[in-house]
Amino acid sequence: MGIWSVVGLELIMYSEDTSIAEKTIIYFEEIDNNRHLALSSNGYFELVDGKVVYQDSLSDVQKRTFSAGCKVDEKFICVGTLSAELIFISKDDRSVYKWRQMDELHGDSIIDLNTASDGSLFLSTTKGIFHITKGVNVEVFTSDDIGGIVRDALQMHDKLYLATTSGIAASMEGADSLNSIESYSNSDTWKLGEFNSELVSDDYEEILSFDGKDFDSLLALNKELWNFHVTKSGYIWVSYQDRIALYRKEEEGSWVLIGEHEVAGPFSVLEEDGRGTIW
């Protein structure tokens, strides 16, 4: 719960403000130096040096179970709910805009949100993927089309890769389209990342790499992992149930544990800023 930063190997609680410290954070972004915005399970926040300076509970949204958030462009962020509503928030004046709910989304839940390279949106839901173009056209790809419920998405090498309950799928027509889907594995997958220009994913007790044809073990952990993050410098943070750990790959190819922290529950990386700080 709350927001933490990792600088080097030091784990620091960013904010002790009770309005956000005990909440699940679904999106986090640095606006200016020492100024951040956050979306949590109970609304929108702006913080300066860890202190909440603005808060909006978004009470006009009828069913406020916020589940996912993403940056749309330099002016807007988007938040989705478990009742399949989309809300856009202006970073300039904090205005809140509701997007009409599609008939296909009724009774659905938004699990994840991603912005495509052309500025369109991909909504990962329990029923499949909804692609909303900048012209507000909507393409629907059901979980049967994709192979399962989508949990994560990653744009890489002009493809859009999807982590689903039945494996990894990818677009064959570029990172902004899902008109042609190919499946690569049948293992339940939660998280995707990139290491040395190769796709990496989780597989229960290890992290796998994919070279476009075959999967190989990248980092064997021998313990169930909950999440992972590949840093810009090539290190890998792994979140377990009771701790987070940092691994580095040596020149000869072996991985070494260089630091760990005991924690109260699993962590998810929200952002890695330009200074290398993990949030």
Side-chain angles (χ1 to χ4, degrees):
M1 296 292 188
I3 303 169
W4 298 73
S5 65
V6 181
V7 182
L9 293 176
E10 187 177 5
L11 181 65
I12 304 167
M13 190 171 193
Y14 173 64
S15 177
E16 296 183 358
D17 192 303
T18 55
S19 60
I20 198 169
E22 299 177 357
K23 303 299 180 181
T24 299
I25 310 301
I26 59 175
Y27 181 76
F28 186 74
E29 178 189 341
E30 185 176 46
I31 307 173
D32 296 307
N33 191 29
N34 297 323
R35 186 180 184 92
H36 297 83
L37 66 81
L39 289 170
S40 80
S41 53
N42 66 326
Y44 171 88
F45 296 82
E46 291 181 12
L47 305 97
V48 175
D49 293 327
K51 296 180 180 179
V52 175
V53 295
Y54 178 80
Q55 178 180 356
D56 185 347
S57 63
L58 304 177
S59 56
D60 289 341
V61 182
Q62 292 182 351
K63 298 179 180 180
R64 296 180 301 112
T65 309
F66 307 119
S67 56
C70 75
K71 178 180 178 179
V72 179
D73 52 32
E74 295 304 318
K75 293 185 177 180
F76 289 93
I77 57 173
C78 180
V79 58
T81 74
L82 289 180
S83 54
E85 292 180 277
L86 274 182
I87 300 100
F88 293 87
I89 303 173
S90 168
K91 290 190 284 186
D92 290 335
D93 60 9
R94 302 164 178 159
S95 297
V96 178
Y97 305 90
K98 297 179 187 177
W99 196 73
R100 62 182 177 86
Q101 190 183 53
M102 298 171 290
D103 291 339
E104 297 93 336
L105 275 171
H106 281 296
D108 206 349
S109 296
I110 297 174
I111 299 172
D112 196 14
L113 287 169
N114 288 273
T115 309
S117 55
D118 65 353
S120 59
L121 280 174
F122 283 104
L123 280 66
S124 303
T125 77
T126 53
K127 293 181 180 178
I129 285 278
F130 291 78
H131 182 206
I132 304 175
T133 70
K134 295 195 76 173
V136 201
N137 296 313
V138 180
E139 298 177 291
V140 182
F141 304 88
T142 69
S143 54
D144 290 336
D145 298 328
I146 297 166
I149 296 173
V150 177
R151 290 173 168 151
D152 194 19
L154 176 69
Q155 296 177 62
M156 179 181 166
H157 302 327
D158 295 323
K159 291 183 180 180
L160 179 69
Y161 289 93
L162 306 173
T164 79
T165 50
S166 57
I168 297 174
S171 63
M172 294 294 102
E173 296 184 359
D176 303 325
S177 173
L178 283 172
N179 289 317
S180 179
I181 301 293
E182 182 171 325
S183 296
Y184 289 110
S185 79
N186 58 5
S187 176
D188 186 2
T189 307
W190 285 88
K191 174 75 174 178
L192 299 174
E194 182 177 354
F195 181 80
N196 288 347
S197 298
E198 290 188 353
L199 180 74
V200 294
S201 63
D202 62 284
D203 187 21
Y204 188 59
E205 292 186 348
E206 64 180 336
I207 296 173
L208 303 176
S209 63
F210 179 64
D211 62 6
K213 295 181 179 180
D214 301 305
F215 286 90
D216 194 15
S217 177
L218 177 66
L219 176 56
L221 301 165
N222 301 315
K223 183 176 181 179
E224 183 180 3
L225 67 99
W226 286 73
N227 212 325
F228 73 90
H229 173 74
V230 181
T231 71
K232 296 174 183 177
S233 55
Y235 291 52
I236 295 181
W237 279 102
V238 175
S239 174
Y240 301 103
Q241 174 65 36
D242 59 350
R243 62 192 173 100
I244 56 173
L246 181 63
Y247 297 86
R248 180 184 65 212
K249 192 172 186 179
E250 302 290 76
E251 291 184 2
E252 69 273 14
S254 63
W255 288 86
V256 295
L257 172 67
I258 62 173
E260 61 182 348
H261 295 278
E262 291 185 0
V263 293
F267 271 47
S268 295
V269 171
L270 301 165
E271 182 187 45
E272 180 178 357
D273 64 28
R275 299 180 296 276
T277 301
I278 304 292
W279 299 90

